[in-house]
């Protein structure tokens, strides 16, 4: 295989199935669910090497700086980051990536993959990609099928026209919707069905022709969105007006289920979409009692149980638990029967109806300059921990309703208050009066950490007047 492959990583998502760790504001691909790296980082690293071009990432505006920060942390420079004005499912996302790549290399091969899957064996996956690429060069549109090891009702299936064989592209007979348990058991016994992994390889010109044939109404809207896209700090923002005209539909429904010349590359070397907490439990290598723990969690006389502590200093102890999922975040705790793992979204919906911010908002707020989280909050005060990346700066701003006290606990801060600039080192503090125009910067080469104490009549994040901002926020 001497043709360059262009990875396209899809990094959107609503984040409800792995609540409370995954939420709308910070979905699961950016979390470290298995291993030290996030799922997004692991996906990007998997698609590195001499036959891979730098990845194209399709994400939304809220995640753009998380994407760049996580790629930078693993020394990956993306080829492009396309910003969707709103989520329109995978159909328009794949089409936008194809149109963008066609301008760079009309003969390119695309590998489209979700960024939240676990594939432990990188070498086996690379071999499967090479097989898929050879088929794609002959005009095939190739999808990856996972050898099932249980009657799973949470996945769609692929029916093969022949027997499955590793590193061989098999003709695809049809796509199968998520089955009930009885049908899933029948398909497992039949042996001609694989799980649909949602990973595709095809020539860019082939998939564009397929969209033209099977989803022509989408072509014009997405083409205009790409052609009128605007560069923004290294991102490419697709035009919102044209993008809104594109149908909200998956690439499976829009193109793949209607196209001819479809093939499947079977893959049995390990895969999970981590679609629920039960899947996380399976990937966590349960001990002889079926117990998986993470963080500062301990299990006493437990069986078939997942215990996770997701915050420093948060101790979780399970005593006599059986078939239970316990996930503890600083602001929310999930306790569920393991058989109800796919119903976690019901908890999210309940919290939405009650107006709880925890339904969608992650306790750690990621910003282009770093992140912050709230340590304590009352009627007229709030205490935050703020981490500013090396060389980063917050906007020049002021507040109508609050004053702030900053205590530096790691690194050095360069602080602007009205016309005065000063360096504030570890164990030093500074006071920002209400209404003062101010800015915080990290001039050092290591992250700077400070504790911020806000006092005032209103402490909302919308009480900000920005005068200068390198990140072009309003």
């Amino acid at each position: 295989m001497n043709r360059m492959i262009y990875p396209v990583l899809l990094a959107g998502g609503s984040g409800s199935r792995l609540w409370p760790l995954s939420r709308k504001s910070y979905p699961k691909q950016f979390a470290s669910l298995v291993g030290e790296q996030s799922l997004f980082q692991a996906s990007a690293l998997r698609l590195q090497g001499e036959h891979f071009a730098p990845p194209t990432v399709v994400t939304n505006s809220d995640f753009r700086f998380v994407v760049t920060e996580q790629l930078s942390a693993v020394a990956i420079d993306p080829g492009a980051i396309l910003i969707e004005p709103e989520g329109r499912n995978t159909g328009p996302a794949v089409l936008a990536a194809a149109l963008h790549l066609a301008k760079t290399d009309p003969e390119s091969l695309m590998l489209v993959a979700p960024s939240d899957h676990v594939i432990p064996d990188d070498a086996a996956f690379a071999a499967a990609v090479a097989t898929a690429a050879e088929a794609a060069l002959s005009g095939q549109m190739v999808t990856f099928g996972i050898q099932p090891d249980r009657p799973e009702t949470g996945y769609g299936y692929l029916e093969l026209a022949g027997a499955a064989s590793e590193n061989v592209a098999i003709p695809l007979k049809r796509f199968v919707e998520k089955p009930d348990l009885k049908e899933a058991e029948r398909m497992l016994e039949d042996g001609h069905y694989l799980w649909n992994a949602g990973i595709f390889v095809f020539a860019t010109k082939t998939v564009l022709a397929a969209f033209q044939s099977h989803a022509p109404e989408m072509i014009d809207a997405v083409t205009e969105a790409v052609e009128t896209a605007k560069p923004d700090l290294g991102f490419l923002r697709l035009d919102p007006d044209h993008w809104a005209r594109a149908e909200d539909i998956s690439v499976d429904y829009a193109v793949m289920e209607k196209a001819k010349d479809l093939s499947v590359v079977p893959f049995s070397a390990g895969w999970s979409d981590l679609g629920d907490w039960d899947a996380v439990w399976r990937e966590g290598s349960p001990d002889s009692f079926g117990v998986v723990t993470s963080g500062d969690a301990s299990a006493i006389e437990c069986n078939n149980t997942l215990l996770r502590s997701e915050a420093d200093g948060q101790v979780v102890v399970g005593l006599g638990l059986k078939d239970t999922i316990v996930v503890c975040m600083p602001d929310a705790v999930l306790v569920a029967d393991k058989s109800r793992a796919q119903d976690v979204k019901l908890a999210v919906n309940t919290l939405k109806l009650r107006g709880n911010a925890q339904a969608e908002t992650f306790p750690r707020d990621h910003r282009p300059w770093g992140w912050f989280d709230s340590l304590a909050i009352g009627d007229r005060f709030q205490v935050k921990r703020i981490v500013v990346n090396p060389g980063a700066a917050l906007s020049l701003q002021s507040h109508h309703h609050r004053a702030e006290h900053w205590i530096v606990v790691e690194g050095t801060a360069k602080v602007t208050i009205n016309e005065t600039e000063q360096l504030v080192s570890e164990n030093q503090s500074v006071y920002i009066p209400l209404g003062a125009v101010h800015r915080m910067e990290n001039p050092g080469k290591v992250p700077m950490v400070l504790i911020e104490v806000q006092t005032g009549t209103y402490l909302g994040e919308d009480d900000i007047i920005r005068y200068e901002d390198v990140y072009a926020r309003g």
Side-chain angles (χ1 to χ4, degrees):
M1 238 297 296
N2 54 12
R3 185 72 65 87
M4 190 68 71
I5 299 172
Y6 290 77
V8 175
L9 289 174
L10 306 179
S14 60
S16 62
R17 292 189 295 172
L18 290 178
W19 185 90
L21 179 60
S22 172
R23 308 186 197 183
K24 183 178 180 180
S25 68
Y26 198 74
K28 66 176 180 177
Q29 64 261 27
F30 302 121
S32 301
L33 280 158
V34 178
E36 295 297 319
Q37 296 158 341
S38 73
L39 300 177
F40 174 72
Q41 289 172 317
S43 297
L45 288 168
R46 190 180 304 125
L47 302 175
Q48 296 290 293
E50 60 177 334
H51 296 303
F52 290 107
T56 296
V57 181
V58 184
T59 188
N60 64 43
S61 186
D62 290 342
F63 305 148
R64 66 194 190 280
F65 293 111
V66 179
V67 164
T68 55
E69 180 181 343
Q70 291 205 351
L71 289 178
S72 176
V74 292
I76 293 178
D77 187 15
I81 299 177
L82 307 184
I83 305 298
E84 298 177 293
E86 58 181 306
R88 308 300 290 170
N89 214 315
T90 58
V94 172
L95 176 56
L99 290 166
H100 177 75
L101 290 175
K103 294 191 292 185
T104 304
D105 182 358
E107 299 300 316
S108 58
L109 290 180
M110 297 173 59
L111 188 158
V112 178
S115 59
D116 57 0
H117 291 184
V118 172
I119 302 176
D121 193 334
D122 288 353
F125 183 71
V129 169
T131 299
E134 292 293 347
L137 287 173
S138 68
Q140 294 287 305
M141 297 178 68
V142 186
T143 185
F144 282 56
I146 307 302
Q147 188 69 50
D149 58 8
R150 62 187 184 278
E152 176 62 59
T153 61
Y155 299 148
Y157 283 70
L158 307 167
E159 183 179 3
L160 305 183
S165 180
E166 290 289 301
N167 295 325
V168 176
I170 311 296
L172 173 63
K173 187 173 182 179
R174 66 183 179 112
F175 288 82
V176 181
E177 296 293 329
K178 295 178 182 179
D180 58 26
L181 181 58
K182 183 176 180 180
E183 180 64 7
E185 290 172 342
R186 184 195 69 79
M187 290 191 291
L188 179 64
E189 184 177 355
D190 181 279
H192 285 79
Y193 294 85
L194 304 176
W195 293 334
N196 182 3
I199 301 172
F200 308 100
V201 176
F202 30 61
T204 301
K205 61 183 179 183
T206 301
V207 74
L208 288 176
F211 271 101
Q212 191 65 62
S213 297
H214 305 296
E217 68 288 343
M218 195 184 296
I219 289 282
D220 289 342
V222 178
T223 297
E224 289 296 329
V226 173
E227 291 296 331
T228 57
K230 295 180 179 179
D232 176 14
L233 295 174
F235 308 105
L236 190 63
R237 288 185 175 272
L238 303 174
D239 181 80
D241 294 332
H242 294 297
W243 187 256
R245 291 168 38 219
E247 184 179 1
D248 187 335
I249 189 172
S250 71
V251 68
D252 296 57
Y253 284 134
V255 171
M256 298 300 290
E257 294 188 7
K258 303 171 185 175
K260 298 179 180 179
D261 298 323
L262 297 175
S263 296
V264 181
V265 171
F267 188 74
S268 62
W271 168 92
S272 175
D273 73 343
L274 292 186
D276 58 32
W277 284 114
D278 193 46
V280 175
W281 170 82
R282 284 194 300 270
E283 290 298 317
S285 301
D287 65 16
S288 58
F289 296 99
V291 172
V292 174
T293 60
S294 178
D296 199 351
S298 300
I300 303 171
E301 298 179 6
C302 294
N303 289 276
N304 203 32
T305 288
L306 174 70
L307 294 171
R308 292 182 69 104
S309 171
E310 300 295 341
D312 293 338
Q314 185 180 53
V315 177
V316 177
V317 180
L319 176 60
L321 299 177
K322 182 179 180 181
D323 300 324
T324 304
I325 293 166
V326 180
V327 182
C328 297
M329 296 286 291
D331 63 337
V333 177
L334 172 70
V335 181
D337 189 283
K338 198 161 165 290
S339 67
R340 303 294 300 276
Q342 291 203 16
D343 296 330
V344 170
K345 59 188 176 185
L346 298 177
V348 177
N349 292 337
T350 298
L351 293 177
K352 285 182 182 179
L353 291 174
R354 292 174 52 181
N356 293 105
Q358 290 92 331
E360 297 183 336
T361 304
F362 199 71
R364 178 165 293 177
D365 197 324
H366 290 263
R367 297 299 174 96
W369 42 260
W371 56 267
F372 70 84
D373 51 15
S374 293
L375 304 179
I377 189 167
D379 290 339
R380 295 179 63 90
F381 77 91
Q382 182 171 203
V383 181
K384 292 181 177 179
R385 172 175 50 178
I386 299 177
V387 177
V388 184
N389 296 326
L394 281 69
S395 61
L396 186 66
Q397 60 185 251
S398 66
H399 309 293
H400 283 305
H401 303 288
R402 71 175 186 253
E404 295 173 346
H405 304 253
W406 295 344
I407 305 100
V408 176
V409 295
E410 291 183 34
T412 299
K414 180 182 177 183
V415 177
T416 300
I417 304 175
N418 293 323
E419 304 300 322
T420 303
E421 287 187 356
Q422 59 183 301
L423 293 178
V424 183
S425 301
E426 287 185 17
N427 300 319
Q428 294 181 334
S429 63
V430 65
Y431 172 64
I432 315 297
L434 186 151
V437 177
H438 60 280
R439 187 193 335 249
M440 176 197 311
E441 303 175 58
N442 179 3
K445 296 184 179 180
V446 296
M448 183 267 291
V449 183
L450 63 80
I451 301 300
E452 177 183 82
V453 180
Q454 301 176 355
T455 57
T457 57
Y458 179 73
L459 306 173
E461 287 302 311
D462 54 350
D463 180 24
I464 295 179
I465 301 173
R466 289 192 174 96
Y467 304 96
E468 295 177 9
D469 185 26
V470 296
Y471 308 108
R473 294 168 295 175

